[in-house]
């Protein structure tokens, strides 16, 4: 699979110089945010990582290759192409073999990051166990990936479009540690608290790096969730977002939305129903995660 990798000049020289590199996903660009804010945010997130002393590597599937590090034109292509495919573990061979344009989810980005030797990956929110999974069986492939692919994933927790309690149970069963930064609670993406606790609060990049190093030195393969709450001034009011999520879930059910379309449908409806306010929160939390992730990559590299 190494032969499918194509490094950008910036990432290639970072690797050669032994500099810390931070992976970024592309589904958040193509399916998570509207154009042109998606491309603008992607660029700003990359710059935050550079300013913190690491090198950003946004990952996407373009022209039959796994591109690790994208140039401006490639970011624009992903952000502005409505036909970019959402690529998880299952979809990787199809998109690579057909040469189609693919945006990688958390699961697929973890696979590509590990192949590229990148230990830290920054995103907004990870997938999880959907509400009603006991009948729909809808459990994101992100969780399986975290159980065996050794990449630290910095996120703002999971959205309450999911069953957060069951998501944490699933991660526990599969031996995936959930860290929190700056508070004991596991965050709920738009809000700082989900009502559930993370497993271990580790506030500094050095503490997080020591935990992650130790896990991997023990031969315990698999990911680590580093959950970082949205900054207080950018969080959404809890009751408001709860009501909107309930409405979006009801509409998905009524319209029979299934499979990989569920998460993008919910994300888009939430954005419409909050008239863009959720987007501002989303952008703020991704930027904050970029800072935490870059500092972690620097600490792991030390
Ligand atoms: N959750 C979010 N924002 C996102 C996603 C999830 O709050 O953009 C995206 C990520 O790419 C994640 C994917 O990996 O959706 C999960 O999709 P699914 O539930 O179909 O596995
Ligand atoms: Mn699903």
């Amino acid at each position: 699979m190494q032969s499918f990798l194509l490094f950008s000049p910036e990432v290639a020289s970072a690797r050669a110089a032994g500099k810390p590199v931070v992976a970024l996903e592309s589904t958040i660009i193509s399916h998570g945010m509207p154009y042109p804010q998606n491309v603008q945010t992607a660029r700003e997130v990359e710059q935050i990582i550079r300013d913190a002393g690491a090198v950003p590597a946004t990952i996407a599937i373009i022209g039959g290759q796994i591109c690790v590090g994208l140039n401006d034109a490639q970011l624009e292509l992903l952000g502005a192409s409505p036909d970019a495919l959402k690529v998880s573990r299952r979809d990787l061979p199809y998109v690579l073999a057909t040469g189609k344009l693919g945006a990688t989810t958390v699961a697929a980005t973890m696979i590509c990051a590990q192949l590229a030797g990148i230990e830290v990956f920054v995103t907004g929110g990870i997938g999880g166990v959907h509400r009603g999974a006991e009948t729909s069986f809808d459990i994101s492939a992100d969780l399986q990936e975290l159980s065996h692919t050794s990449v630290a994933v910095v996120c703002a927790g999971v959205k309450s479009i999911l069953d957060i309690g069951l998501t944490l149970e699933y991660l526990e069963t599969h031996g995936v540690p959930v860290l929190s930064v700056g508070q004991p609670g596991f965050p709920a993406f738009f809000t700082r608290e989900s009502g559930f606790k993370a497993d271990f609060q580790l506030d500094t990049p050095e503490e997080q790096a020591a935990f992650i190093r130790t896990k991997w030195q023990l031969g315990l393969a698999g990911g680590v969730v580093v959950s970082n709450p949205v900054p207080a001034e950018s969080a959404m009011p809890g009751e408001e977002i709860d009501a909107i999520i309930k409405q979006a879930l009801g509409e998905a059910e009524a319209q029979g939305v299934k499979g990989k379309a569920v998460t993008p449908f919910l994300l888009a409806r939430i954005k419409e129903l909050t008239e863009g306010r959720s987007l501002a929160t989303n952008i703020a939390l991704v930027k904050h995660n970029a800072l935490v992730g870059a500092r972690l990559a620097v600490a792991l590299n030390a």
Side-chain angles (χ1 to χ4, degrees):
M1 215 168 148
Q2 289 283 342
S3 64
F4 288 98
L5 289 174
L6 180 66
F7 292 98
S8 69
E10 183 186 17
V11 175
S13 59
R15 280 161 55 85
K19 281 208 210 157
V21 179
V22 173
L24 296 160
E25 65 156 306
S26 43
T27 293
I28 190 174
I29 303 174
S30 66
H31 295 76
M33 289 183 196
Y35 182 81
Q37 291 97 327
N38 54 0
V39 177
Q40 166 97 18
T41 302
R43 290 198 179 111
E44 289 172 5
V45 163
E46 289 196 344
Q47 195 53 44
I48 288 168
I49 291 172
R50 289 188 193 99
D51 292 344
V55 173
T58 304
I59 293 177
I61 314 300
I62 305 174
Q65 288 188 292
I66 300 170
C67 296
V68 182
L70 304 182
N71 60 32
D72 256 16
Q74 290 170 319
L75 278 181
E76 184 73 26
L77 175 71
L78 268 167
S81 303
D83 54 344
L85 296 171
K86 175 181 162 189
V87 180
S88 192
R89 166 176 277 268
R90 170 192 69 179
D91 314 289
L92 264 176
Y94 174 74
V95 180
L96 280 167
T98 56
K100 292 191 173 165
L101 180 64
T104 51
T105 62
V106 168
T109 306
M110 287 181 75
I111 295 169
C112 299
Q114 178 160 273
L115 270 176
I118 303 171
E119 297 180 321
V120 178
F121 159 32
V122 164
T123 185
I126 59 173
V129 179
H130 282 257
R131 298 192 198 180
E134 63 274 22
T135 50
S136 69
F137 274 42
D138 193 351
I139 299 175
S140 175
D142 293 353
L143 299 186
Q144 276 284 353
E145 207 59 54
L146 279 160
S147 73
H148 56 253
T149 300
S150 300
V151 174
V153 181
V154 181
C155 63
V158 300
K159 287 197 173 88
S160 53
I161 57 173
L162 302 170
D163 188 318
I164 299 179
L166 291 188
T167 299
L168 292 170
E169 289 290 350
Y170 189 104
L171 291 172
E172 180 189 9
T173 299
H174 290 273
V176 180
V178 177
L179 310 184
S180 61
V181 185
Q183 64 177 36
F186 181 67
F189 195 89
F190 294 118
T191 55
R192 291 170 63 84
E193 294 290 351
S194 65
F196 294 90
K197 278 184 74 176
D199 302 320
F200 313 108
Q201 178 180 349
L202 295 174
D203 294 342
T204 69
E206 291 74 25
E207 290 171 303
Q208 296 149 14
F211 178 98
I212 291 162
R213 256 307 153 248
T214 303
K215 173 171 159 67
W216 293 337
Q217 277 169 352
L218 287 167
L220 300 175
V224 174
V225 175
V226 181
S227 66
N228 178 43
V230 61
E233 66 275 16
S234 303
M236 292 193 70
E239 307 87 72
E240 182 192 349
I241 193 70
D242 282 352
I244 282 166
I245 284 172
K246 219 169 249 153
Q247 180 178 343
L249 284 166
E251 290 177 10
E253 164 107 38
Q255 295 177 35
V257 181
K258 293 253 161 17
K260 71 192 270 187
V262 172
T263 298
F265 176 90
L266 294 172
L267 299 179
R269 276 307 279 153
I270 290 167
K271 191 192 66 228
E272 284 165 13
L273 292 168
T274 60
E275 293 152 339
R277 272 172 306 125
S278 66
L279 181 59
T281 300
N282 201 341
I283 291 170
L285 67 85
V286 175
K287 288 182 175 176
H288 191 216
N289 292 347
L291 186 61
V292 167
R295 289 178 177 160
L296 172 58
V298 169
L300 273 168
N301 207 50

